Structure formats: structure tokens, C-alpha cells
Amino acid sequence: LVLAATAVSAHAQFKPEEVIQYRQGIFKAQRWNMVPMAMMVQGKAPYDQAAFLRHAQRLDQLSHMAWEGFGPGTDKGAPTKAKPEIWSDAAGFKKAQDAFQAETPKLVAAAQSGNMDQIKAAFGGVAKSCDNCHDNFRSK
């Protein structure tokens, strides 16, 4: 309990714009790792198993990080594409987070296998979870 209270209190010390910048940074890092994998899956870049695995592992780690950046008061304070539904439909937003977090380990496992059919299927699952969240919780 003490650790949880300390973590909450530490985040409370950040200004909303800092929290928004944090979550946006995580999402940029996710994109940084998604794009090279997409290029490999689409055949637009040569497949490199080690690089693909590294990107998949990073994405899996990042999949747990951005969500704490959506606390109370972070719907404003800096430019953001976050829709109000993030806060008005917290259960739906949590479901979208959970879906993304469920797909990224599958991508890591597929990347470890080196089997492109498995990789394409797992990458598709990750991309679909991203799209679902963007469609419902991110302004265009």
C-alpha cells in the first residue's frame, strides 16, 4: 500500500502537459518499433529475424507503459488527440488496453519462431488492436 500511494503521489506531482508528453512519447516509441516490423511483414524491407524480434520485444514492454499517462486532468493541458471517451468509457478503454497487451506477447513468440506465417498473423493481431483503440479513443 505504501508503494502504491508513493507511486500515485509521484505522478500527482507532474503537470498535465508533462503527463500528456510522457504518454505521447511512449506511443511514438511504439510506432518506432511497429513501422520496421510492418515493412518486413509487407515485404517492403528485408526480413531480419533478430531486428524483428528486438522490435517485438520492445513493443511488448511498451504496451504496458502509456496507460498511466491517462490520469484525471490529462484530457487537457497540451495538444492531444485523446478523445473524451477515454474518460467517459473507462471500461471500454481498459478493454482496448488489455487487448493490445494480450497481442504483443503473441508477436514476440511468433518472432522467436521465425515462421513468417505466424509472424504475419501475430502482427495482424497487434495492428488490429491498435486500430480498434485508435478508432474509438483517438481523434484523427
Side-chain angles (χ1 to χ4, degrees):
L1 275 171
V2 172
L3 288 175
T6 303
V8 169
S9 124
H11 287 100
Q13 294 175 5
F14 290 102
K15 296 176 184 172
E17 62 268 18
E18 293 173 307
V19 178
I20 292 167
Q21 290 168 355
Y22 163 79
R23 75 176 182 231
Q24 289 173 341
I26 299 299
F27 288 132
K28 285 178 184 175
Q30 288 177 355
R31 184 177 185 279
W32 182 264
N33 286 284
M34 283 288 289
V35 170
M37 290 188 292
M39 299 295 286
M40 287 184 230
V41 165
Q42 296 166 0
K44 295 178 181 176
Y47 173 67
D48 177 333
Q49 184 178 6
F52 196 98
L53 177 59
R54 183 177 62 250
H55 289 299
Q57 289 170 328
R58 288 178 185 163
L59 186 64
D60 185 41
Q61 292 170 342
L62 290 164
S63 75
H64 300 273
M65 297 174 65
W67 316 118
E68 65 189 280
F70 287 96
T74 63
D75 55 336
K76 0 177 162 22
T80 178
K81 292 182 179 179
K83 286 183 173 181
E85 288 79 1
I86 289 171
W87 294 273
S88 65
D89 181 14
F93 187 55
K94 176 74 169 114
K95 185 176 178 182
Q97 293 170 35
D98 292 344
F100 179 56
Q101 290 172 330
E103 293 300 324
T104 57
K106 295 175 189 175
L107 183 59
V108 171
Q112 289 169 331
S113 79
N115 179 302
M116 189 51 76
D117 290 335
Q118 291 177 18
I119 289 169
K120 286 180 179 182
F123 185 84
V126 170
K128 182 179 177 184
S129 70
C130 290
D131 290 343
N132 287 338
C133 193
H134 285 195
D135 290 347
N136 296 307
F137 300 104
R138 181 176 186 250
S139 298
K140 305 288 180 225

